[in-house]
Amino acid sequence: MASSSSHNAAHFERSLSASAVDHTIYRQSPDPKWKDQNGNEQEPMEEETPVSGVHKVNGLLENVKEVNCSLRNGHAENGENLSEKIAALKVESNGLSTVSEEEKKEKVKDEVLGKPPLPRNKQNSTSGKQSWLLRLFESKMFDMSIAISYLFNSKEPGVQTYLGNRLFSFPEEEVDFYLPQLLNMYIHMHDVAEAIHPYIVYRCRHSVEFSLQTAWILSAFSADVLKPNWKNSQGIKLKNMILNEELRPKVDKKAGNLPSPTLPHALHPLTVTTPVKKTHCRSKSDATGIYSKMPHSQTTGNLQKSNTGDLSTGRAFDSGCICVQSSEGIVNDLTGKETVCHCGAPRLKPELEFVNALMNIGSRLQQLPTKELRTSRLIAELAMLNLNLPARVWLPFGTNSHHHIVRIPHTQAIVLNSKEKAPYLLYVEVLEVENVYSSHVPSKRLENTLRFTKSEEDLTTCYVRSNGSPHPEFSLYGGSEFDDAECWSQEDDEILQFAVKTRSVDTLSQFSVDSTTSADSKEPVYIAAGDIRKRLSEHFTAPKSKFERDPEDPSAAALKEPWEEKVKRIRDASPYGQLPNWKLLSVIIKCGDDLRQELLVYQVLKVLKNIWDQEHVPLWIEPYHILATSNNSGMIQPVDNTVSIHQIKKHSKKSLKEYFIQEFGEVNSEGFLTAQKNFVQSCAGYCLVCYLMQVKDRHNGNILLDSDGHIIHIDFGFILSTSPGKNLGFENSPFKLTHEFAEVMGGLESDMFEYFKILILQGLVASRKHMDKIIPIVEIMQTGSGLPCFGNGMNTIRQLKERFHLNLTEEQLQLYVDQLVESSLNSLTTSLYDKFQYFTNGIL
């Protein structure tokens, strides 16, 4: 028994000693000695003084030494008491964050977690609390939401360090969802920043997308740090490190020394080694002679860096990396491996310049007074941007990052309805790829207007440059000798102008031919008047799938067009449309708007959607992705096949129920009933969201209707403790519910309206069951934040918790939901606010 206890005590002492090896602060024991029950003098234990972290480790080491000393002195008769002490020491050590993952699994889980907790007199309350906390962290229910909650609320350095290390064990997509919360704590909480800094640096070194997201979020939320000091400047320092390319992956410079087949061997940046001793240096004239012989496409990465960001060069988004073109890159491309950049080309700058170019367009559009001028300027700006594509850039949304942007159909862009700001909707043609960094970027293809020239086969004979020399090296279809660097130049612009002129001439001649043919036709064609009347009646009675184009509202017709038809139309006109990996994406660019509140609501919507799916509550909401690139700019992923209720009422001249009948069929048809059910489920979901988050500014321009009958709320600029009109609180209803909505549901006495109230009750019960997943998302973002939604301070979070009504039973909650629905349906302020929007902004 004694030998077994001695072995356990020695093993436990080694484990604790190993766990404390990294600590440099030790606590000195007092001088007086004390005697154990056998009369041996021992070092005093520090059980009376509660200590944490490294001090507690040293106290445990002293206790273990006491056990070993007793065993070495031959006190085998007290083996049972010593075993009891060892077990108590193991329980006490469970809360220490310095124990390695393997030791915790071998010792804590097998030897301690399987046993009942010891009595209170054999362990202090602090160690018991830490033991239960470790059980929570080791359990299957521990997830990222619990991790960020304890990172925010715990003040123990050991717990924060443990949680910072546990971030490595979570899936990356789960951590990325809570990245705004993590980085906001990184900016405003110095102790949390120290705990999570290793994880953020590791992810930045291994992921360009994560680096960009981190830099943008830090830029957005660091704006609230008015007076940086040593406790809150870590966010600004990390942002500068990322943007300065200091967090690059650590690669072996010896790797990738294979010469490029397209570059001279002497120019490869990795083949030029730095000698240890000073030797002969190449003269400047020799180096100049080498670089003067290089064509434009064979410049090194350092020479091409100056072009990045200059839209007039055609290479504004080219990083200058030559590693992909090297022999190693070609081999990796054939074998499906990722090529790591060794030449030192910027990783982030091309994508940053692309996003900045889109934001700068929005800033310039704000300076124009009318929508017509904004639209024409937008088309011209995007045409200039299009000259620099294809490139290794992408739309920075997590679900759509594996692609290269090849073309922007600039004539399809739309300026959205806004008086002060100038948000615009953009369609982007992309090619899906396996790897954004190593996959081949296609060469530029000219527009389809060249197909209308008289002789495509001998274009060089028709076109002569201004200096009198032809351009024989130009190849319309491209070949192996076609240089990507020359894919778009001044000559190409002149060719396009020539092609447009030729097309106009051909069009006129074709018109004359058609008129001659029609004039010389043998017999006239007669159409009966009855056929004309039949066609006209069918035309007017058929449901309209598109809105008529309105000069004052150009977005209505474009948004009403079905997405599948839009994709087919743009693909047919695109020079890249025949490629199998072609895809069309869309994005809304906002400049001058703070999207940080939108980002917060997106997170809440995403969590609520997951909760309702988990609890099998058939509520429907559509969270759309938000990217805040700064505190006054960002991107929004639009919802396809949607149009606002304002646009429906304006262009169809019908009520909402009449529009449903026009679009989906008669009231008792299957199409209408399906759309009605979708309307009820989505309306209940967004009513509950609007109540919990106190969403205001709910006019019909901020409520969309999709092609399946769902309604979707957008524009969450007024939430929680803020409202329009300098926070007057005019909209006092819990959520927007009009009699027009109730009419679509079938009326106040219908079964679908009762189903609507039941859904709100079920959603509220499920939401308050998982309230701990929602509250931390909002509470963490309040820390150090200057967002207007937190204007009431701590009362904002307190009132949010109260809206979950934990003190009510389900029967009481049902009565309360009925009161919410009734007060919203009969709210005077809702109708007055709609009328105010109509008279001031023309919103129906």
Side-chain angles (χ1 to χ4, degrees), residues 173-395:
E173 57 272 11
E174 293 184 12
V175 180
D176 293 346
F177 177 77
Y178 292 101
L179 190 58
Q181 281 72 28
L182 289 173
L183 294 180
N184 194 56
M185 289 189 289
Y186 189 97
I187 294 171
H188 301 288
M189 301 173 66
H190 190 76
D191 51 347
V192 178
E194 291 181 347
I196 66 177
H197 180 77
Y199 176 82
I200 295 177
V201 170
Y202 173 82
R203 288 288 306 278
C204 287
R205 291 190 186 278
H206 291 79
S207 173
V208 174
E209 291 96 337
F210 185 86
S211 300
L212 291 168
Q213 295 283 345
T214 302
W216 283 323
I217 294 177
L218 289 174
S219 299
F221 289 95
S222 295
D224 296 330
V225 181
L226 301 179
K227 296 181 179 180
N229 52 55
W230 73 274
K231 283 190 176 182
N232 60 11
S233 63
Q234 58 268 9
I236 301 175
K237 293 178 181 177
L238 178 60
K239 180 192 69 174
N240 294 334
M241 289 175 61
I242 296 173
L243 297 180
N244 294 333
E245 301 279 356
E246 298 180 23
L247 300 181
R248 299 179 63 91
K250 297 180 180 179
V251 296
D252 186 8
K253 293 186 177 181
K254 295 181 180 179
N257 280 337
L258 297 176
S260 171
T262 60
L263 297 179
H265 181 73
L267 296 178
H268 199 277
L270 295 178
T271 58
V272 181
T273 58
T274 304
V276 179
K277 298 181 180 180
K278 187 175 181 180
T279 58
H280 171 69
C281 298
R282 186 181 297 276
S283 63
K284 183 178 179 180
S285 59
D286 294 336
T288 306
I290 290 178
Y291 285 104
S292 63
K293 297 178 182 178
M294 294 172 56
H296 178 66
S297 62
Q298 295 178 354
T299 53
T300 60
N302 293 331
L303 294 179
Q304 291 184 2
K305 288 179 183 178
S306 59
N307 293 333
T308 307
D310 188 358
L311 297 178
S312 62
T313 62
R315 289 183 169 273
F317 315 128
D318 188 359
S319 66
C321 178
I322 58 177
C323 296
V324 179
Q325 301 175 357
S326 64
S327 57
E328 181 194 14
I330 295 175
V331 171
N332 290 340
D333 188 24
L334 295 175
T335 57
K337 298 180 180 179
E338 180 180 356
T339 301
V340 181
C341 179
H342 306 284
C343 63
R347 302 188 308 156
L348 312 180
K349 195 170 184 181
E351 179 68 12
L352 288 172
E353 292 295 342
F354 175 73
V355 174
N356 290 336
L358 296 178
M359 299 303 165
N360 292 335
I361 292 175
S363 300
R364 289 190 286 268
L365 292 181
Q366 294 180 18
Q367 303 172 5
L368 301 177
T370 63
K371 189 171 295 184
E372 290 77 9
L373 292 176
R374 290 180 177 181
T375 301
S376 59
R377 179 64 178 270
L378 174 62
I379 295 175
E381 293 275 3
L382 293 178
M384 174 64 71
L385 184 67
N386 214 13
L387 299 180
N388 299 271
L389 299 174
R392 202 178 298 277
V393 292
W394 59 92
L395 289 183

Side-chain angles (χ1 to χ4, degrees), residues 543 656-676:
L656 196 57
K657 183 177 181 180
E658 293 172 345
Y659 178 79
F660 263 69
I661 295 175
Q662 172 185 298
E663 289 290 317
F664 305 109
E666 293 299 325
V667 175
N668 295 325
S669 64
E670 183 178 354
F672 182 90
L673 295 177
T674 302
Q676 185 186 54

Side-chain angles (χ1 to χ4, degrees), residues 658-789:
E658 293 172 345
Y659 178 79
F660 263 69
I661 295 175
Q662 172 185 298
E663 289 290 317
F664 305 109
E666 293 299 325
V667 175
N668 295 325
S669 64
E670 183 178 354
F672 182 90
L673 295 177
T674 302
Q676 185 186 54
K677 184 191 69 172
N678 294 337
F679 181 86
V680 170
Q681 292 176 349
S682 59
C683 186
Y686 278 103
C687 284
L688 188 52
V689 170
C690 291
Y691 170 68
L692 293 177
M693 296 299 294
Q694 290 295 287
V695 183
K696 303 302 179 184
D697 195 26
R698 295 300 88 196
H699 55 75
N700 289 333
N702 288 336
I703 303 177
L704 308 181
L705 185 72
D706 70 0
S707 57
D708 296 324
H710 301 105
I711 67 168
I712 303 166
H713 285 245
I714 60 173
D715 194 357
F716 301 102
F718 297 96
I719 60 173
L720 297 176
S721 59
T722 182
S723 60
K726 297 182 180 180
N727 206 16
L728 293 177
F730 182 76
E731 298 175 88
N732 55 15
S733 62
F735 42 79
K736 180 168 186 177
L737 179 64
T738 64
H739 286 275
E740 195 172 25
F741 288 2
E743 185 182 10
V744 176
M745 300 179 191
L748 301 181
E749 304 298 330
S750 64
D751 294 338
M752 293 303 292
F753 192 77
E754 291 297 323
Y755 178 55
F756 166 76
K757 294 190 287 185
I758 292 173
L759 286 177
I760 294 180
L761 175 62
Q762 291 178 345
L764 185 55
V765 171
S767 301
R768 72 174 185 175
K769 178 181 177 181
H770 300 273
M771 185 183 71
D772 293 337
K773 295 182 179 179
I774 303 173
I775 299 299
I777 293 178
V778 183
E779 187 176 12
I780 293 174
M781 301 312 293
Q782 185 182 11
T783 304
S785 174
L787 295 178
C789 62

Side-chain angles (χ1 to χ4, degrees), residues 335-530:
T335 57
K337 298 180 180 179
E338 180 180 356
T339 301
V340 181
C341 179
H342 306 284
C343 63
R347 302 188 308 156
L348 312 180
K349 195 170 184 181
E351 179 68 12
L352 288 172
E353 292 295 342
F354 175 73
V355 174
N356 290 336
L358 296 178
M359 299 303 165
N360 292 335
I361 292 175
S363 300
R364 289 190 286 268
L365 292 181
Q366 294 180 18
Q367 303 172 5
L368 301 177
T370 63
K371 189 171 295 184
E372 290 77 9
L373 292 176
R374 290 180 177 181
T375 301
S376 59
R377 179 64 178 270
L378 174 62
I379 295 175
E381 293 275 3
L382 293 178
M384 174 64 71
L385 184 67
N386 214 13
L387 299 180
N388 299 271
L389 299 174
R392 202 178 298 277
V393 292
W394 59 92
L395 289 183
F397 293 122
T399 56
N400 297 323
S401 60
H402 300 291
H403 63 258
H404 292 151
I405 297 178
V406 294
R407 181 176 176 265
I408 297 177
H410 51 279
T411 58
Q412 306 298 320
I414 306 160
V415 179
L416 301 178
N417 297 326
S418 178
K419 289 185 177 180
E420 300 178 357
K421 310 297 189 302
Y424 62 94
L425 175 63
L426 189 67
Y427 297 101
V428 179
E429 298 180 28
V430 303
L431 294 182
E432 294 181 323
V433 295
E434 294 183 359
N435 193 301
V436 178
Y437 318 107
S438 60
S439 297
H440 175 68
V441 178
S443 59
K444 188 174 187 65
R445 300 188 178 189
L446 299 182
E447 299 289 340
N448 291 342
T449 51
L450 287 178
R451 299 176 183 176
F452 294 91
T453 57
K454 291 182 178 180
S455 177
E456 293 179 349
E457 294 78 12
D458 194 14
L459 187 63
T460 57
T461 61
C462 297
Y463 172 67
V464 179
R465 290 188 292 180
S466 59
N467 57 6
S469 61
H471 195 58
E473 65 273 16
F474 177 78
S475 174
L476 178 65
Y477 297 101
S480 58
E481 73 279 1
F482 186 68
D483 188 5
D484 288 347
E486 303 291 340
C487 63
W488 196 271
S489 59
Q490 183 67 27
E491 292 83 4
D492 298 332
D493 292 335
E494 296 173 4
I495 290 174
L496 281 180
Q497 295 176 4
F498 175 80
V500 172
K501 292 179 181 179
T502 308
R503 180 182 180 183
S504 62
V505 174
D506 290 349
T507 305
L508 291 176
S509 61
Q510 184 66 34
F511 285 160
S512 62
V513 171
D514 293 341
S515 61
T516 304
T517 305
S518 61
D520 297 339
S521 59
K522 297 180 180 179
E523 296 180 0
V525 178
Y526 296 98
I527 302 176

